[in-house]
Amino acid sequence: LTTLLGKGGGPTAVIAQSLVGAILRARLLGTTARIYGALHGVQGIVNQDFVDLTDVPEEDLELVAKNPGAQLRSTRDKPDQVYCANILRVLQAHRISSFLYIGGNDTSETLRILSTQAAAIGYDLTCVHVPKTIDNDLVCNDHTPGYPSSARFVGHAFMGINRDVMSLPGVYIGVVMGRHAGWLTAASALAKEVDDDGPHLIYMPERDFDMQTFLRDVKAVYDRLGRCIVAVSEGVHDASGKPILHSFKDLDTDPHGNVRLSGTGALADFLSEQVKHSLGIQRVIGDTLGYLQRSFPDASDVDRREARMVGERAALYASLRRTGSVTINRIGDYKVDYGLVDLADVAGKTRVVPDAFISDSGTDVNEAFLRYLRPLVGSDFRRAYSLRAPAVPKILLE
Amino acid sequence: LTTLLGKGGGPTAVIAQSLVGAILRARLLGTTARIYGALHGVQGIVNQDFVDLTDVPEEDLELVAKNPGAQLRSTRDKPDQVYCANILRVLQAHRISSFLYIGGNDTSETLRILSTQAAAIGYDLTCVHVPKTIDNDLVCNDHTPGYPSSARFVGHAFMGINRDVMSLPGVYIGVVMGRHAGWLTAASALAKEVDDDGPHLIYMPERDFDMQTFLRDVKAVYDRLGRCIVAVSEGVHDASGKPILHSFKDLDTDPHGNVRLSGTGALADFLSEQVKHSLGIQRVIGDTLGYLQRSFPDASDVDRREARMVGERAALYASLRRTGSVTINRIGDYKVDYGLVDLADVAGKTRVVPDAFISDSGTDVNEAFLRYLRPLVGSDFRRAYSLRAPAVPKILLE
C-alpha cells in the first residue's frame, strides 16, 4: 500500500506544515508501506512525476515545515472526467491506496470525481481533501489553514500603513487578494487601535461597488481627518457582477476560465486616478499587496499548528480508509475540533463573509468579525501604540 | 533650556526608537529643562505645533518605541533661507537651545542652513542630525537606521516569492523602492539559498537599464529554469538618466521637485506587458512592494538597537553643545561605533551601491555585499529550506 500526497492551487505560508503533518503521522500509524509526493499536483500524477518521501529524515521535514509555499510545487489544472481517468490509471499502476490532496474547493471537486470513478471500476482508493486557502471560502469550516497567516500579514501591513499615512497625510488605497469573498480584505481592520485609525473604508465583493459612492465616502473621511486609508478587494464588482478591474482593462484568464485579478497594480492605479482627478487630492497612493499576502514567511503560530493538525488528521482518516474533506470547527474561545465531511459538501462551493460580520455602512466590519478573527492571527500579533503628549501653548501671534 | 525633537521625510520601521532614545537620554543627562516635539517637522515649527514630551512616562515611551512610522508625524517641506529664518524666529521665542532633527540628507541640509543663520545672528543653537533613511544613501556612514528593517522586509518578501513562483512557474517582476541607489533592491538577494533560487535578475539605478537587454536576460533565465524572478529598483533609468517609468507615464512631482516614483504599480505593469508581448510568456506577475517596505511592523533587532543609539548619541552631543550629523561606523564583524561629522559633510550628498558590491553582469550582487548586509537584517532572519527526496521510477510507458 502506498499513500500519495499532492497540492493544488495557490500556495500559502503553512502548506508545508500540512504536508509534514501528514507524512509524520502516516509513518507513525504504520498502515502505509511507502509515502509518495506528486510534483505539481494532478499534473505531476499524469506525468508520473513522483518523489519518495518515505525516508526523508524527520529533522529535514521539520525545517521544511517552517517554509512558505508548496514544497511539492502546485498546479492550476482542473481535471475533467478524461483527465481524472488518466490520473486513476497512473495511481493504479503505482499501487496508490490513498490520495491526500491539499487545496481549496477546486481540489475537493477533483477528489470527488476521482473517488466516484474509482468506485465505478472497483478500485479501492481513499481520497482525503486537506483544506487550505488564503481566501477562507470553504464551506463546512470555521476557517481554513492559510487564511490566518495571510490575515496576519494584511493586518500588520495596514498597521504600518496607518502610521505611514499619519506621518505624511494623503489618500492610500491598498488592494487585497480575494475574488468572491472579502475575508482577507476584512482583516485590514485589525490595524485599528483608536477610532481615527485606518483603514477608514473597506470594500469587499460581498457588496456592490459604485464609483460615485466610493468617491463620496473617500471625500467625507478626507475632509474630516485630512487623510483616508482604503482597503479594497481585488474582486470588487459593479451591480451586474462585473469586476471593476474589468471595466477598464482587458484581462487574462487562467486555465479554469477565471479572469486573473492578481499580478497587476491596475485596480489600485485606476482608483487612485479617480480620486486624484475627481476630488483634486494631490497625494494619492495606490498599493497592491500582491503575492506577498500568501507567501510572506511570517506565519501565525495558530495557523501553523492547525495546518499541521489537518495534515495529521488526513493521514489518520486515510489509515481508516475514510474518504472525505477534513474540517476545522471552532469550540469556545478559542479551541478547535477537527472532523470529516463528504467531498460533495465542500466541492465547488464558496463561503462569503456573512452579513452578521459587515457593518451597516457596508464599508467596514464589526466587533463580531474582529472577535472571530483575533484568535487566528497568532499569539504575538503586534499592537499599535500611539504617543500621547500635551500640546505646548503658542507664544508668537501672527 | 529646551530641547526640540522633530522628524523629516519618509517614515521607517525604527524612527520611534531614535525618538525615544533621544528623550530618555536627554532626561538622564539632565542638561535640558524641557523636551518638546514638533509635529510634522519643520512645518510644525513654523506653525508652533509642539507637544511637551518632558513628562511622558517611560513605560509609554517604550511601547511607542516598538511602533513603525513617525510618531511626531513628518513633512516633505524642504526649507529655503526665508523658511529657515521663520523657523529660527519660532525657536528663539520658545527658547529652544538644541534642535535634534531625524531624517535623511535633505534634513541634514536644513540643519546646515539653520545653524549658519543662527551663528550669523549670535543665537546659540545646537543642531544635531539624527540619521534615518531606508535608502541607505547617506555618506560618512556604514549604513543608516531604517535600512536594515526595510532590507529585512524585502529579503523575506523575495524568500516567499521564490517559493511561490517555484510552486506555480512564470515570470515575477517585483519593483522595490530606491530612486538613485539600489541598496534596498539589492537586499532581495538575501532570499537565495541555492543557485537556482530567485531573484535571478536584480536591476539597480547604479546601472543603465536597456529594455532589449532586460528581455534577453529574462528569456535566458526562463528558458533555463522555466521561471524567472526579477527585482527592479523603481528608479531604473535609461542611458540618458531618464527614469523608465517616465518613458511611458506623465508623473507627479513632490514639493522638492522630485518625480514621484512610488505609489503606483505602473512600472511593474509596464515591464510585465513587455515580457508578455515580446517573449510570449503567459504567466507574468507584476508586483510593487510599495509602502510596506518602510512601515511593516517587523523591524530588525539590530536596526532597533542602532536607531535607539543614534537618538541617545544625538542627545549626548546636544548636551555637549556640539552641532553635527551622527554617524554609524562598522567595527569588525559585527560591531559599530558612533561618531559626529560636520553637517555639510552629509548634506545633499548621495551614496550609491559601490561597484565592489555589484557582479560583473550588472544584474546581481556579490558575496561581499551579502557579507555587508547579513549582520544588519536581524538575529532571527529566516532561512529557506527546500525539501529533497529521491524520484520514484516511472512505471507506465506512453
Side-chain angles (χ1 to χ4, degrees), chain A residues 111-331:
Chain A
L111 288 181
R112 195 192 60 74
I113 301 174
L114 279 178
S115 63
T116 308
Q117 286 191 356
I121 59 171
Y123 168 19
D124 185 16
L125 177 70
T126 301
C127 294
V128 185
H129 171 216
V130 188
K132 79 84 215 168
T133 168
I134 65 160
D135 292 332
N136 202 37
D137 62 352
L138 291 187
V139 298
C140 306
N141 284 273
D142 177 74
H143 60 278
T144 315
Y147 172 67
S149 294
S150 291
R152 174 185 176 86
F153 179 81
V154 170
H156 278 157
F158 276 87
M159 183 176 297
I161 289 304
N162 186 47
R163 299 278 140 190
D164 198 298
V165 179
M166 225 184 270
S167 296
L168 293 168
V171 173
Y172 178 94
I173 299 168
V175 170
V176 180
M177 280 182 167
R179 179 184 303 274
H180 300 298
W183 293 104
L184 197 52
T185 308
S188 62
L190 281 174
K192 290 190 186 191
E193 204 71 13
V194 297
D195 279 351
D196 288 351
D197 280 345
H200 308 99
L201 297 166
I202 300 175
Y203 296 91
M204 297 171 277
E206 283 76 3
R207 297 287 180 270
D208 297 338
F209 184 91
D210 174 71
M211 187 59 75
Q212 292 315 313
T213 312
F214 164 71
L215 292 171
R216 206 179 52 219
D217 291 350
V218 170
K219 185 177 185 323
V221 173
Y222 189 81
D223 286 349
R224 185 163 60 86
L225 299 174
R227 67 183 188 278
C228 181
I229 297 171
V230 183
V232 187
S233 288
E234 61 186 6
V236 288
H237 53 77
D238 63 21
S240 75
K242 184 175 163 189
I244 300 299
L245 180 58
H246 216 150
S247 63
F248 65 96
K249 192 176 184 299
D250 285 334
L251 292 170
D252 306 328
T253 53
D254 71 12
H256 295 200
N258 292 325
V259 171
R260 266 187 54 197
L261 298 174
S262 298
T264 165
L267 179 60
D269 283 358
F270 175 68
L271 295 176
S272 296
E273 290 299 318
Q274 297 292 318
V275 169
K276 229 179 270 184
H277 294 136
S278 301
L279 303 183
I281 298 171
Q282 213 196 347
R283 188 166 188 270
V284 184
I285 292 164
D287 259 2
T288 303
L289 271 55
Y291 285 78
L292 277 51
Q293 293 168 84
R294 67 186 197 193
S295 291
F296 197 76
D298 177 41
S300 149
D301 55 357
V302 174
D303 198 17
R304 282 201 299 265
R305 192 168 66 229
E306 294 178 354
R308 173 75 69 121
M309 278 302 295
V310 295
E312 294 195 15
R313 278 296 170 126
L316 175 67
Y317 292 126
S319 79
L320 300 171
R321 312 297 291 151
R322 291 181 62 188
T323 281
S325 178
V326 179
T327 58
I328 296 184
N329 309 295
R330 184 182 303 224
I331 309 294

Side-chain angles (χ1 to χ4, degrees), chain A residues 60-82:
Chain A
D60 276 9
L61 290 177
E62 289 299 352
L63 289 171
V64 163
K66 293 185 176 69
N67 278 271
Q71 296 284 349
L72 291 177
R73 319 290 172 95
S74 191
T75 179
R76 287 280 176 199
D77 283 5
K78 189 177 179 177
D80 56 12
Q81 296 285 342
V82 176

Side-chain angles (χ1 to χ4, degrees), chain B residues 259-275:
Chain B
V259 170
R260 268 188 53 200
L261 298 174
S262 297
T264 166
L267 180 59
D269 283 359
F270 174 69
L271 295 175
S272 295
E273 290 301 316
Q274 296 292 318
V275 169

